[in-house]
Amino acid sequence: MRLRALLENDALGLRLLGGEDELDRTVRGVMTTDLKDPSRYLSGGELVLTGLAWLRDPADAEPFVRILASAGVAALAAGEAELGDIPDDLVEACSRHRLPLFAVNETVAFATITEHVVRQVSGERAGDLAAVVDRHRRLMTSGPAGGGPEVVLDLLGSDLDLRAWVLSPTGRQIAGAGEPLPAPLAATLAGEHLAATRTGRRGPHRLSTGGTAYSLFPIRNTGRGAAPASRDVRETVLSDWLLAVEADAGDWPAARLDLLQGVTQLIAVERDRRDAARTVRRRLAQEVLELVQTGAAPAEIAARLRVAAPVLLPGLGTAPHWQVVVARVEWEQEAGQSPAVDAGPVAQALLEEILVDPATVGAESADRIAVAHSGDEAIALVPLAAGPLPDSEDDGPATALGLHADALLAAVRAPLSAGLADDGRLTLGVSAAVHSAEGLRGALEEARHARRVAAARPGRVCAAGHHELASHVLLLPFVPDDVRRAFTARLLDPLRDYDRRHRAELIPTLEAFLDCDGSWTRCATRLHLHVNTLRYRVGRIEQLTGRDLSRLEDKLDFFLALRMS
């Protein structure tokens, strides 16, 4: 029941002293106390009745009200029989803590108020429980098996006036009733869910963004026939769906929370069904991968690809081009920690999600992606229809040249970084497109090399593409750390020491000089220096290092040292 309903009943003898803006609070129970600290008996949502016997000094009001507000009580009702008018100190304390305050007429017994509240709350709970039982029945008979998650979400909207969406761990919308969530908001909700899950907090997770409250429920099948529970949250955190509800579940009764848990169970069953449908595609990818890695004849690989093409691209008349994408998820392991997570399946499920256009709604859009895993790696065979593909700026990560590494991760980097937390990394490499079986082995090695380049970069989520393999950056990640340190120290430490002592900015000058291809005029203009000043600085660099910046070899050494530092 609402506080407003108490005021409307004249028989209760209540007079409002403060808190007009809070009268829509829900009352879940009633408690009578004259203790100075009743916190141990409060659970939130109560109407607290007090005769003020605890009020010995004006200073007692503030701590008493603070205790009630912290416990989340609905309101305070103070009797006038003991002191007559309610003390101003109590009125002011309730105002500071936004706690509604009622005065109880001395002719009304607390028992009258208690009996009325208990009768009203019990009746509402009985009605709500009956409605919950009916909703459970309707959900079970018309749930996902009869029409997908949208049916369940429609029922939540029509019966409980709840807007809800099913999201992937990257924030992509799997299902929803009504208007879809804006992509940035969906990514924020997914990131919050992943971060909360990694810290071990139990769902539902609650947050407020843009002035709207959301509750996030994990979607996991824990019923009969479900897979065994994961011993490590990292095994599933990057693949589990979530249910986002536009409401604050913090003040929900247990019956409603149970209903939403039932909803997640129904959707989890649908998730398992769709995962099972991926088995054929995964098996095709595994068979092709094994042929490629064992050096099978191109004709044998081509025959297997002809089998795979109709499954992945139904209705395609000619064989497509193919790209290979390699991903690896790595978790740090401290001494004495439990055995490392089996990262291959984790990377496989994650790569299947990443390769779906983030603007695509629904789960079936992953039907043209075949991902296998080998050890800790996940390897995807991505078919590209022959001919031009949509431009990536308008229609997702595919272009006329195929998938691009940076575009694949642009929309998912933030939520995945939250799920990886402080102990995980995702690295990804993308090959060039090939049009025949003969090119797949090279494409696989190319994607693996690109992933190693990505692994050498800082950050939790990194990617590299085939176009970067024609550059010196391909060599830098494989230089041993001790060699890097020694090489850069010999060339750059004398300049850094000089800069620290004299603030001469020799390192920025060197970077600009090399970036301007040794052009004195362009470099001086960029640094806003006179050419003679620039010549003095370059001369100092050469004097300190014993190098000659007019020689190509020395320029190259400085360039590499700056890139590796």
Side-chain angles (χ1 to χ4, degrees):
M1 66 178 301
R2 305 286 181 181
L3 288 175
R4 192 179 305 280
L6 295 174
L7 274 178
E8 294 170 353
N9 190 327
D10 294 336
L12 299 181
L14 295 175
R15 180 166 49 89
L16 184 65
L17 300 181
E20 294 87 349
D21 296 337
E22 307 292 333
L23 291 179
D24 285 325
R25 289 189 182 187
T26 301
V27 180
R28 298 194 184 88
V30 62
M31 174 195 173
T32 301
T33 184
D34 274 314
L35 295 173
K36 295 184 70 173
D37 181 1
S39 57
R40 74 185 70 179
Y41 304 108
L42 298 171
S43 58
E46 297 93 348
L47 171 66
V48 174
L49 304 174
T50 180
L52 300 179
W54 52 269
L55 188 62
R56 306 293 184 186
D57 184 271
D60 292 340
E62 169 66 26
F64 181 80
V65 173
R66 184 170 61 248
I67 289 169
L68 299 189
S70 299
V73 304
L76 172 65
E80 295 178 320
E82 181 78 17
L83 301 176
D85 291 338
I86 306 302
D88 291 340
D89 298 285
L90 182 59
V91 176
E92 293 169 2
C94 287
S95 177
R96 282 194 297 272
H97 291 278
R98 299 180 63 85
L99 182 68
L101 175 64
F102 298 98
V104 182
N105 190 283
E106 61 181 349
T107 62
V108 178
F110 283 176
T112 301
I113 300 173
T114 300
E115 181 182 354
H116 175 80
V117 171
V118 170
R119 186 168 59 248
Q120 291 296 319
V121 171
S122 298
E124 290 179 2
R125 285 177 178 169
D128 192 41
L129 183 58
V132 164
V133 171
D134 180 62
R135 288 173 188 134
H136 268 295
R137 178 187 58 77
R138 294 176 60 196
L139 288 170
M140 293 304 293
T141 56
S142 59
E150 288 80 2
V151 173
V152 179
L153 302 184
D154 283 338
L155 281 174
L156 288 179
S158 61
D159 279 23
L160 296 179
D161 196 25
L162 291 176
R163 298 178 66 205
W165 303 265
V166 178
L167 304 178
S168 78
T170 66
R172 186 173 61 86
Q173 183 169 315
I174 305 297
E179 290 294 318
L181 279 177
L185 174 57
T188 297
L189 297 180
E192 173 66 21
H193 173 75
L194 290 172
T197 302
R198 284 303 313 276
T199 61
R201 287 156 49 195
R202 297 186 62 183
H205 312 304
R206 296 148 51 205
L207 79 156
S208 179
T209 177
T212 303
Y214 295 90
S215 298
L216 311 175
F217 295 80
I219 294 176
R220 300 189 189 99
N221 186 0
T222 58
R224 183 178 300 176
S230 171
R231 58 183 174 83
D232 192 320
V233 68
R234 295 175 298 178
E235 293 181 358
T236 58
V237 66
L238 297 178
S239 58
D240 283 343
W241 289 354
L242 67 135
L243 178 67
V245 181
E246 190 180 283
D248 186 348
D251 59 356
W252 284 3
R256 178 169 288 198
L257 285 172
D258 288 344
L259 176 65
L260 265 293
Q261 294 296 344
V263 167
T264 64
Q265 288 288 295
L266 290 171
I267 298 173
V269 172
E270 176 70 2
R271 168 68 189 271
D272 291 346
R273 183 187 69 79
R274 294 183 178 185
D275 278 349
R278 290 183 175 181
T279 303
V280 173
R281 297 191 302 278
R282 287 177 171 178
R283 187 173 65 246
L284 287 172
Q286 199 73 42
E287 290 174 355
V288 174
L289 174 63
E290 290 173 0
L291 291 174
V292 171
Q293 293 192 127
T294 57
E300 187 177 357
I301 299 174
R304 182 57 58 189
L305 287 176
R306 282 194 294 272
V307 173
V311 176
L312 299 176
L313 290 177
L316 190 67
T318 58
H321 300 297
W322 299 87
Q323 269 184 293
V324 176
V325 181
V326 173
R328 175 172 288 188
V329 175
E330 298 172 288
W331 304 101
E332 296 174 5
Q333 184 178 358
E334 298 179 359
Q337 197 177 37
S338 58
V341 175
D342 187 2
V346 176
Q348 181 182 40
L350 187 56
L351 188 52
E352 287 172 334
E353 172 61 30
I354 290 173
L355 290 174
V356 179
D357 184 343
T360 303
V361 175
E364 302 303 333
S365 52
D367 282 354
R368 295 183 177 183
I369 297 167
V371 182
H373 72 85
S374 176
D376 290 340
E377 282 184 337
I379 302 167
L381 295 174
V382 182
L384 305 171
L389 295 174
D391 183 77
S392 62
E393 293 184 1
D394 298 326
D395 294 285
T399 71
L401 298 178
L403 300 172
H404 281 231
D406 289 338
L408 283 174
L409 294 182
V412 302
R413 183 173 273 109
L416 291 184
S417 295
L420 292 163
D422 296 328
D423 61 347
R425 287 200 77 203
L426 166 66
T427 52
L428 184 146
V430 182
S431 78
V434 297
H435 62 275
S436 67
E438 290 87 343
L440 275 181
R441 186 175 181 85
L444 176 58
E445 291 306 313
E446 192 173 55
R448 282 174 167 163
H449 280 305
R451 193 208 63 78
R452 293 189 191 103
V453 170
R457 296 172 175 166
R460 291 290 167 190
V461 181
C462 299
H466 59 90
H467 59 284
E468 300 180 63
L469 303 188
S471 167
H472 65 279
V473 297
L474 174 62
L475 303 176
L476 297 185
F478 308 107
V479 177
D481 288 342
D482 55 345
V483 176
R484 283 171 178 252
R485 287 191 293 269
F487 180 71
T488 58
R490 281 197 301 272
L491 281 175
L492 302 182
D493 279 2
L495 307 181
R496 290 173 177 144
D497 292 341
Y498 191 87
D499 281 348
R500 276 195 296 271
R501 293 196 307 271
H502 303 285
R503 297 181 180 178
E505 298 188 355
L506 296 185
I507 290 290
T509 300
L510 175 62
E511 291 175 330
F513 187 72
L514 295 175
D515 195 43
C516 292
D517 298 323
S519 169
W520 296 99
T521 303
R522 282 195 289 128
C523 184
T525 301
R526 174 181 293 190
L527 295 176
H528 305 289
L529 298 174
H530 192 277
V531 172
N532 289 341
T533 304
L534 175 62
R535 290 185 184 276
Y536 172 80
R537 288 188 183 181
V538 170
R540 180 63 67 184
I541 291 170
E542 292 175 333
Q543 181 184 19
L544 291 170
T545 60
R547 299 299 185 106
D548 183 353
L549 276 168
S550 65
R551 298 177 67 247
L552 176 62
E553 293 87 347
D554 288 341
K555 286 181 182 177
L556 181 59
D557 283 347
F558 277 123
F559 178 78
L560 292 174
L562 289 168
R563 292 300 296 266
M564 289 191 294
S565 62

